[in-house]
Amino acid sequence: MSKLSLTFACGLYDRMLALYTGEVKPDGIDLNFLAIDDPRQIFDRMGKNLEFDACEMSSSEVISRLAAGRNEMVALPVFPSRVFRHGFITVNRKAIKSPKDLAGKRIGTPLYTQTAALFIRGLLQDEYGVDLSGVHWVQGATNSPESHGHPAAPPLLKPISIEQNSSGRSLSELLAAGEIQAIIGSGLPDALRSNPDVQRLFPDFHAAELDYFRRTRIFPIMHLVAIRREIYEMHPFVATSLYQALCASKDLALEKMRYLGALRYMLPWLMSDLDEIDQVFGGDPWPYGIEPNRPTLEAALRYLYDQSLIAAPLVVEDIFEPLRDGCRF
């Protein structure tokens, strides 16, 4: 029996490499892995035209679509990208000395709806009691005067004080000039390296993130894997086959990373990083599936509702439709 031909667009992360090279093959699928290292390009192409059979997608965009009844995609609990976010809050130190100083300020963000900004707003409110209700948001690319992608996500469900950056300068330049007082989101401003007034809000972000994870078990999930609904409904086996192959690819990457005879990555302290992974994450820093990620997924759903990006609360099982069809993640 011939295999089903599928296109899969994703960044070429270490956890995806074995799937890209063919060292791991999904059962029953002839996979055409399209390595695209700009996630926003994948999101825009899939979000507007359903261009791929399956792909890496923004978690917040997929969930907000599903919550709004837009069911073009089916989500898998596979997380190509996840990032702790304390280190991605940059401020102009002349205006911001502590987290609560962010209240009422002008804050830049690449996209108000992006998952990185969602988690940062959530942790600022939950962990530090920051009142963001009076913030004026300036939306645009961090290090370019252009916009940051063109998402086809549902509109905001309540009015937000927000403007598109039309200054002809990047958010980084605006922060250095003091015209905005902070930037949150998925990138770091160039001014962090060149302007002494631009600093991280949490200079010892590693310690803050470690404490945060130990207390909350939240490791922010940026992206999940989505399948075009038409493909899933015609070939339901694709969900299980892709999930199992993605798990196998990730496990193989972790195994190879642990070989220390010659360092696989340009990380001089990889050995101590692996020790920390064992101590903090029990050996697997990047689990797929539902249960190991329930605290993070529940936080994401709560933030989406609290920040008016979805109209009603959801539970984790609402996101992953294959669970209802007998798949086990």
Side-chain angles (χ1 to χ4, degrees):
M1 184 175 176
S2 61
K3 294 184 177 182
L4 178 67
S5 295
L6 288 183
T7 59
F8 175 66
C10 191
L12 196 56
Y13 309 109
D14 61 347
R15 46 238 174 241
M16 298 292 173
L17 188 59
L19 201 61
Y20 176 77
T21 63
E23 194 171 358
V24 169
K25 297 180 183 294
D27 290 342
I29 296 174
D30 181 13
L31 195 69
N32 178 22
F33 191 127
L34 305 176
I36 301 173
D37 286 329
D38 176 5
R40 188 69 253 169
Q41 182 186 146
I42 299 175
F43 304 164
D44 289 350
R45 290 166 67 179
M46 185 66 165
K48 291 184 177 181
N49 302 312
L50 296 174
E51 186 172 332
F52 313 111
D53 297 319
C55 68
E56 169 184 14
M57 274 296 292
S58 159
S59 299
S60 61
E61 288 187 35
V62 170
I63 296 169
S64 62
R65 280 169 171 262
L66 293 173
R70 295 175 59 179
N71 297 316
E72 309 101 324
M73 301 178 215
V74 174
L76 294 184
V78 171
F79 311 113
S81 175
R82 53 196 313 168
V83 186
F84 287 109
R85 287 296 174 188
H86 287 70
F88 286 83
I89 308 169
T90 49
V91 300
N92 188 307
R93 65 176 181 172
K94 291 181 177 179
I96 307 295
K97 308 294 185 187
S98 69
K100 288 194 175 181
D101 292 338
L102 293 167
K105 298 299 192 295
R106 290 170 56 85
I107 300 178
T109 186
L111 284 172
Y112 183 83
T113 57
Q114 73 170 186
T115 315
L118 176 84
F119 270 100
I120 291 173
R121 291 191 298 267
L123 77 87
L124 286 171
Q125 292 174 310
D126 282 0
E127 296 287 307
Y128 303 98
V130 180
D131 179 5
L132 297 174
S133 62
V135 166
H136 180 77
W137 301 94
V138 180
Q139 186 171 258
T142 302
N143 294 306
S144 163
E146 308 300 322
S147 63
H148 179 84
H150 304 281
L156 297 174
L157 297 177
K158 73 173 185 180
I160 299 291
S161 180
I162 187 169
E163 67 175 89
Q164 192 68 32
N165 177 23
S166 58
S167 68
R169 292 173 290 162
S170 67
L171 294 182
S172 176
E173 291 172 300
L174 295 179
L175 182 62
E179 296 178 34
I180 59 176
Q181 289 76 54
I183 297 175
I184 69 168
S186 54
L188 292 171
D190 290 342
L192 184 63
R193 297 190 299 270
S194 60
N195 188 314
D197 288 332
V198 174
Q199 299 183 350
R200 284 186 170 93
L201 180 61
F202 301 104
D204 193 358
F205 60 90
H206 180 98
E209 292 165 353
L210 188 58
D211 172 71
Y212 173 72
F213 178 75
R214 283 175 165 156
R215 287 186 294 102
T216 67
R217 311 312 292 175
I218 295 171
F219 182 4
I221 289 169
M222 300 298 108
H223 307 161
L224 48 71
V225 167
I227 303 170
R228 189 156 51 90
R229 175 168 294 280
E230 180 184 8
I231 294 294
Y232 174 71
E233 291 183 347
M234 291 177 61
H235 309 283
F237 83 94
V238 165
T240 300
S241 178
L242 269 182
Y243 178 78
Q244 291 174 345
L246 287 160
C247 287
S249 182
K250 187 262 291 184
D251 290 345
L252 186 57
L254 187 57
E255 177 185 333
K256 290 182 176 182
M257 184 171 69
R258 287 185 176 278
Y259 175 72
L260 298 174
L263 295 184
R264 189 172 186 85
Y265 304 104
M266 292 179 286
L267 297 170
W269 290 279
L270 177 59
M271 185 163 59
S272 64
D273 291 338
L274 289 170
D275 289 345
E276 187 171 63
I277 284 171
D278 290 338
Q279 293 162 10
V280 177
F281 296 96
D284 185 357
W286 220 272
Y288 296 162
I290 302 295
E291 290 309 319
N293 296 290
R294 188 172 289 277
T296 301
L297 293 166
E298 288 178 345
L301 293 176
R302 179 164 53 85
Y303 296 157
L304 283 162
Y305 177 65
D306 290 347
Q307 297 174 32
S308 298
L309 300 182
I310 60 176
L314 295 175
V315 298
V316 172
E317 285 73 16
D318 291 332
I319 307 170
F320 301 108
E321 183 175 331
L323 281 170
R324 299 196 294 271
D325 296 338
C327 294
R328 290 292 176 262
F329 300 137

